[in-house]
Amino acid sequence: MGFIGFLLYGGLAVIFLALHLVFGDLSYSIPEEMKRGSVIGNIAKDLGLESGRLSARNARVDTEDNSVKYCNVNLNTGELMVQERIDREGLCAKRASCVLKQELVLENPLEVHRINIRVQDINDNSPQFKEEQLKFDIQESAVKGARFLLDEAHDGDIGENGVQGYSLQQNDHFKLNVNMKTGGRKYCELVLEKELDREDKKELMLLLTAFDGGSPRRSGTVVIHVTVLDANDNVPVFSQAVYKASLPENSPVDTLVITVSATDADEGVNGDVNYGFNDVSDENQVFALNSKTGEVTVAGSIDYEKESSYELQISAKDGLGLASYATLIIDITDINDNAPVIYLKSLTNPIPENVSPGTEVGIINVQDRDSDSNRQVRCSIQQNVPFKLVPSIKNYYSLVSTGQLDRELVSDYNITISATDEGSPPLSSSKTVQLSVADINDNPPVFEEQSYSAYVSENNKAGSTLCSVSARDPDWRQNGTVIYSLLGGEVNGAPVSSYVSVNGDTGVIHAVRSFDYEQFRSFKVQVMARDNGSPPLSSNVTVSVFISDVNDNSPQILYPGSEGKSFMTELVPKAAHGGSLVSKVIAVDADSGQNAWLSYQIVKSTDPGLFTIGVHSGEIRTQRDISESDSMKQNLVVSVKDNGQPSLSATCSMYLLISDNLAEVPELKDISYDEKNSKLTSYLIIALVCVSTFFLTFIIIILGVRFCRRRKPRLLFDGAVAIPSAYLPPNYADVDGTGTLRSAYNYDAYLTTGSRTSDFKFVSSYNDNTLPADQTLRKSPSDFAEVFGDCDDSPEVGICSS
């Protein structure tokens, strides 16, 4: 060590030259352990001596007590050199100041110079412990913070080169506490930082190191042997502080989740471990823990959407109640067990039918409680509706119209929206949205028929129902409410409203007054159907009213005239054969159809077997040849009936004279002989007076007429029965072939000169044809006027044909 100290500190030696005392004292300071031969200083120079004379003066280094000479002088150079190992610890031990005293002796003359060599300490000693091993016996039940004093280390060096501190090998149970004694010495203590566990470690070997402050630092070590004494101080210890497990949701009950394990180093009762949940919460209802085996099983419903993970505190207790705890984290994995749920967030309902395509009518939100791909949802809509789904933000969709709506075609839509997730297998759900279409007035009323016909019998009561019109408007409420009204117009010059009216609500058409078939047979009215929309829409329809005939007119006999006007007398030749036409009853009926079908019947005659009358023609014919025994005067009463229900009738009297010339004609008063008058004298007297008066008047008229027309030729009737126009009513119209005026028959009347003004008509024989029953009269009043007017225009002879 002296050699090393010399190398380190040799060059640093500082020679102190003290003042020359009486003896010439010198002081040097050198580090200890300088090598032998190392120069301490040049003593000759320091003393002012000539180095060449040192030898002459026999210079030498002595000690006061003849102890070890540590130094020597080089007589040639005068240098003071180390002769022996200088060990400060050996010379001075722990003294802070270590001075080695030497003397330089010179002879001739004798001089003694004191040399004080201050030996400086170098770090040439390591700290050392007395014992090679420190032993401690410590109970494992020792409490934390217990202190155990350790032996002090010793270092031969002083100052900074002495023991400056201690360090303890890293361990789990102890730490080192360093303290300082009086005088600056340091010592240390073991402090129990963590309780000992004999079941864990029965012995502990710790390395204690003491180090000084030199450069380089030196240290010394000692082994601390700690023996742990047993005690019942162990708690159960889990194999893991944190247990982790993964569990699919919807796992069935009794599914094993994980098995926890704890051990107790103690024996017997102290080593028995029981498991349990540390806290009482809902987890205990979801999971169960076997107290003996530590198996955690499913005890309830596991739903990822309610709880995605569970953190449970599990305790392990030994027989004396010592416990330890571990954490169990159970992650629930999602399975695709939730179908998407469709929420209708908003809906415009109803929507107008005239909304433009692209109008947003609703907002749909789709939610799926699953996670990851199980919650990715695709939405779709059925294809047969004019709507579509347009994706919006996140899981929102807009329900948008795609086409023109028509409430009259489809008034309500049941829109089915489907949502499908991307799980495996995928789950889907659907929702039906009911959407109503609001009406606008875009349809006019439409009549059910293009035209209507009403049939009513004449003489109807005012207010009677003619028919009903009906119009449909497919619009809704007021837009589809139909109101009926008549359009302005005229019928026969009168306002149409004076003939019919229409119920504005029902469309029923009523007659305002009674109709007469004989005035007009039909007319037309315009009915308008208008809705109540804004603006209103309307349409029109034509209603044709047809008036049907009823049997309200009795037959009217045109020829012969009724009694009281004149005596219509026909002359029948005596040579007339059976079937000869002698006369014709002409009658008309203002009704039509079967109500105007007339039938004729002789209800009374002077000789019932002599004459017959055509049932439908009214022609009077002889049934047999006229004989001499037949009465000259024949009186026929003819009844004319129509075919109505009930039938109406009229009667007339026909007077026939069987004679070949007027000379044989008796007085006119006898012609009017009536069987009833023969029974009543008073009637006969009245009749004779009337006949006489009429005869005188008739003679005067004949004479006047002959005088006025004596230049005209004599009128000859070629087979036609002349019917004066006075017998035709001026207002008769065609009654569809009813009556007996036919163009197929001609009647010839022969009158004497001047007979134009008389009522006598001489009938010649005619053909035997009769009027067919199925033929009816089709002549207008003007036709009758033409026929009978032509007869009046001829002065003496005329032919009337029809």
Side-chain angles (χ1 to χ4, degrees):
M1 295 297 290
F3 176 74
I4 297 173
F6 175 77
L7 292 176
L8 293 174
Y9 297 102
L12 299 176
V14 180
I15 300 174
F16 295 95
L17 177 64
L19 295 175
H20 289 280
L21 300 176
V22 177
F23 301 100
D25 292 343
L26 295 175
S27 295
Y28 296 96
S29 177
I30 63 171
E32 66 173 329
E33 303 292 344
M34 292 183 70
K35 294 181 179 181
R36 289 180 178 88
S38 297
V39 178
I40 298 174
N42 195 320
I43 193 170
K45 290 182 179 181
D46 293 337
L47 291 176
L49 298 177
E50 294 180 3
S51 58
R53 295 192 62 185
L54 292 178
S55 174
R57 295 185 66 180
N58 195 22
R60 62 183 180 275
V61 175
D62 290 333
T63 60
E64 292 182 354
D65 53 2
N66 295 320
S67 59
V68 180
K69 294 181 180 179
Y70 291 98
C71 300
N72 192 12
V73 63
N74 189 330
L75 297 179
N76 296 322
T77 62
E79 292 176 343
L80 182 64
M81 295 180 295
V82 176
Q83 181 176 321
E84 297 292 338
R85 173 179 175 258
I86 300 175
D87 182 12
R88 194 203 68 82
E89 289 76 27
L91 292 174
C92 301
K94 291 292 185 181
R95 291 192 300 269
S97 176
C98 182
V99 178
L100 180 63
K101 293 180 180 182
Q102 301 286 306
E103 292 179 349
L104 176 64
V105 178
L106 297 173
E107 296 179 358
N108 299 317
L110 178 65
E111 291 183 15
V112 178
H113 296 278
R114 186 179 296 173
I115 302 172
N116 294 324
I117 300 175
R118 186 178 301 279
V119 181
Q120 297 178 349
D121 184 43
I122 65 171
N123 192 23
D124 57 345
N125 292 285
S126 298
Q128 293 181 351
F129 292 91
K130 290 182 179 180
E131 304 291 339
E132 293 181 355
Q133 189 179 66
L134 302 178
K135 294 184 178 181
F136 291 93
D137 293 334
I138 302 175
Q139 291 284 339
E140 63 176 334
S141 60
V143 297
K144 183 178 180 180
R147 297 173 180 269
F148 304 93
L149 183 62
L150 300 176
D151 292 342
E152 183 179 352
H154 297 278
D155 193 326
D157 297 324
I158 62 172
E160 292 295 328
N161 294 328
V163 176
Q164 296 298 315
Y166 299 88
S167 65
L168 184 65
Q169 178 186 357
Q170 183 68 32
N171 66 94
D172 295 333
H173 296 278
F174 293 96
K175 69 178 181 177
L176 191 64
N177 187 24
V178 179
N179 298 314
M180 185 176 290
K181 292 182 179 181
T182 304
R185 288 163 45 195
K186 294 181 179 180
Y187 70 95
C188 56
E189 296 175 323
L190 276 180
V191 180
L192 184 62
E193 189 177 32
K194 180 181 179 182
E195 291 82 356
L196 299 174
D197 186 357
R198 183 179 180 278
E199 290 72 22
D200 183 18
K201 290 183 179 180
K202 296 181 180 181
E203 293 180 340
L204 296 176
M205 304 299 288
L206 306 177
L207 184 63
L208 178 64
T209 301
F211 55 89
D212 59 23
S215 178
R217 174 180 290 185
R218 290 178 176 272
S219 63
T221 60
V222 68
V223 174
I224 302 174
H225 183 199
V226 178
T227 301
V228 182
L229 302 179
D230 187 33
N232 187 21
D233 59 350
N234 288 288
V235 296
V237 178
F238 282 98
S239 60
Q240 297 176 219
V242 177
Y243 291 89
K244 292 185 177 181
S246 180
L247 182 69
E249 66 173 323
N250 298 333
S251 295
V253 176
D254 295 333
T255 299
L256 178 63
V257 180
I258 197 174
T259 300
V260 298
S261 176
T263 59
D264 195 322
D266 296 327
E267 297 179 353
V269 177
N270 294 332
D272 292 337
V273 178
N274 291 311
Y275 303 95
F277 287 118
N278 187 39
D279 51 354
V280 179
S281 63
D282 292 340
E283 286 78 11
N284 292 335
Q285 300 177 6
V286 179
F287 300 99
L289 176 61
N290 190 307
S291 62
K292 296 298 182 182
T293 63
E295 292 180 347
V296 179
T297 57
V298 176
S301 175
I302 305 297
D303 190 353
Y304 173 87
E305 287 68 41
K306 290 183 179 179
E307 195 71 37
S308 62
S309 66
Y310 295 87
E311 184 173 335
L312 312 176
Q313 294 295 324
I314 299 177
S315 64
K317 296 182 179 180
D318 60 18
L320 294 180
L322 295 179
S324 62
Y325 303 93
T327 300
L328 173 59
I329 298 176
I330 303 175
D331 291 326
I332 308 300
T333 59
D334 183 45
I335 64 173
N336 193 26
D337 60 340
N338 290 281
V341 180
I342 302 173
Y343 297 97
L344 180 61
K345 292 300 183 180
S346 67
L347 182 67
T348 302
N349 194 13
I351 58 174
E353 61 178 323
N354 62 341
V355 295
S356 59
T359 301
E360 182 181 81
V361 299
I363 297 177
I364 306 298
N365 178 250
V366 182
Q367 300 285 345
D368 194 315
R369 297 178 60 195
D370 295 321
S371 62
D372 299 331
S373 62
N374 293 333
R375 70 179 301 170
Q376 300 300 319
V377 179
R378 301 186 309 272
C379 285
S380 61
I381 195 171
Q382 65 192 76
Q383 299 299 320
N384 58 344
V385 293
F387 299 94
K388 67 177 180 179
L389 285 178
V390 177
S392 184
I393 57 174
K394 290 186 178 180
N395 49 356
Y396 282 85
Y397 296 84
S398 296
L399 183 61
V400 177
S401 63
T402 60
Q404 191 66 44
L405 304 179
D406 189 347
R407 191 203 69 85
E408 288 70 44
L409 294 178
V410 181
S411 61
D412 295 281
Y413 289 94
N414 291 325
I415 305 171
T416 301
I417 301 172
S418 299
T420 304
D421 61 28
E422 294 184 359
S424 180
L427 299 178
S428 62
S429 63
S430 62
K431 185 179 183 66
T432 300
V433 178
Q434 294 184 345
L435 188 61
S436 298
V437 181
D439 183 52
I440 63 171
N441 193 26
D442 59 345
N443 291 281
V446 177
F447 284 95
E448 293 182 353
E449 299 181 15
Q450 294 183 351
S451 63
Y452 290 86
S453 298
Y455 298 90
V456 60
S457 298
E458 65 174 331
N459 302 327
N460 58 291
K461 294 182 179 180
S464 60
T465 300
L466 300 181
C467 68
S468 176
V469 296
S470 179
R472 303 295 181 187
D473 193 322
D475 294 325
W476 196 45
R477 291 188 174 176
Q478 72 270 13
N479 294 332
T481 301
V482 179
I483 301 173
Y484 302 94
S485 62
L486 289 176
L487 292 178
E490 292 185 353
V491 176
N492 288 349
V496 68
S497 59
S498 64
Y499 287 88
V500 294
S501 65
V502 63
N503 188 305
D505 296 326
T506 63
V508 177
I509 298 177
H510 299 278
V512 175
R513 64 183 183 181
S514 178
F515 301 136
D516 189 354
Y517 177 84
E518 286 70 39
Q519 289 184 357
F520 54 89
R521 301 181 182 183
S522 65
F523 61 91
K524 293 182 180 181
V525 297
Q526 292 285 326
V527 178
M528 179 180 69
R530 175 181 57 84
D531 59 28
N532 206 24
S534 179
L537 301 177
S538 63
S539 60
N540 303 331
V541 72
T542 300
V543 179
S544 299
V545 180
F546 296 95
I547 303 170
S548 60
D549 183 48
V550 298
N551 193 26
D552 60 342
N553 290 283
S554 299
Q556 185 171 356
I557 300 174
L558 302 180
Y559 179 84
S562 60
E563 294 184 18
K565 291 184 179 180
S566 61
F567 294 106
M568 301 300 297
T569 304
E570 299 286 353
L571 292 179
V572 181
K574 293 180 179 181
H577 300 287
S580 298
L581 177 64
V582 295
S583 185
K584 178 180 176 70
V585 176
I586 300 175
V588 293
D589 196 315
D591 297 321
S592 65
Q594 65 179 5
N595 296 327
W597 295 350
L598 303 180
S599 60
Y600 300 85
Q601 182 181 5
I602 298 176
V603 298
K604 186 177 182 182
S605 66
T606 303
D607 189 350
L610 182 56
F611 299 100
T612 183
I613 189 170
V615 176
H616 300 293
S617 63
E619 294 177 346
I620 301 175
R621 296 177 181 274
T622 57
Q623 292 191 56
R624 55 180 175 81
D625 296 339
I626 296 176
S627 63
E628 292 295 336
S629 60
D630 293 328
S631 176
M632 180 183 296
K633 302 175 184 179
Q634 295 291 329
N635 185 14
L636 304 178
V637 177
V638 178
S639 173
V640 182
K641 289 184 178 181
D642 59 26
N643 199 33
Q645 293 295 331
S647 63
L648 301 177
S649 64
T651 60
C652 67
S653 296
M654 176 70 70
Y655 299 98
L656 302 177
L657 294 176
I658 300 175
S659 176
D660 290 330
N661 52 65
L662 291 178
E664 298 178 359
V665 177
E667 295 180 359
L668 292 178
K669 63 180 180 180
D670 296 332
I671 299 175
S672 61
Y673 172 78
D674 187 89
E675 290 182 355
K676 293 181 179 180
N677 294 337
S678 63
K679 298 178 180 179
L680 297 174
T681 305
S682 59
Y683 289 166
L684 180 57
I685 294 173
I686 294 173
L688 291 175
V689 172
C690 291
V691 169
S692 300
T693 304
F694 179 76
F695 180 74
L696 292 176
T697 304
F698 181 70
I699 294 300
I700 294 172
I701 292 172
I702 290 175
L703 293 176
V705 171
R706 289 187 64 186
F707 177 78
C708 294
R709 300 183 179 182
R710 61 179 178 268
R711 296 181 181 178
K712 294 181 180 181
R714 184 178 180 180
L715 178 61
L716 297 176
F717 293 89
D718 185 13
V721 177
I723 301 175
S725 61
Y727 292 104
L728 293 174
N731 61 342
Y732 267 77
D734 180 17
V735 289
D736 293 337
T738 60
T740 58
L741 293 179
R742 304 296 297 170
S743 61
Y745 296 91
N746 295 322
Y747 301 93
D748 297 334
Y750 301 94
L751 300 178
T752 59
T753 302
S755 62
R756 169 70 175 170
T757 58
S758 78
D759 288 332
F760 287 102
K761 292 181 174 50
F762 302 94
V763 183
S764 65
S765 63
Y766 197 63
N767 61 69
D768 295 334
N769 295 328
T770 59
L771 181 66
D774 58 345
Q775 296 185 10
T776 56
L777 184 62
R778 297 185 182 271
K779 296 294 182 178
S780 65
S782 61
D783 296 331
F784 286 105
E786 291 176 359
V787 173
F788 294 100
D790 292 342
C791 298
D792 293 336
D793 292 338
S794 301
E796 293 183 4
V797 180
I799 300 175
C800 297
S801 62
S802 62

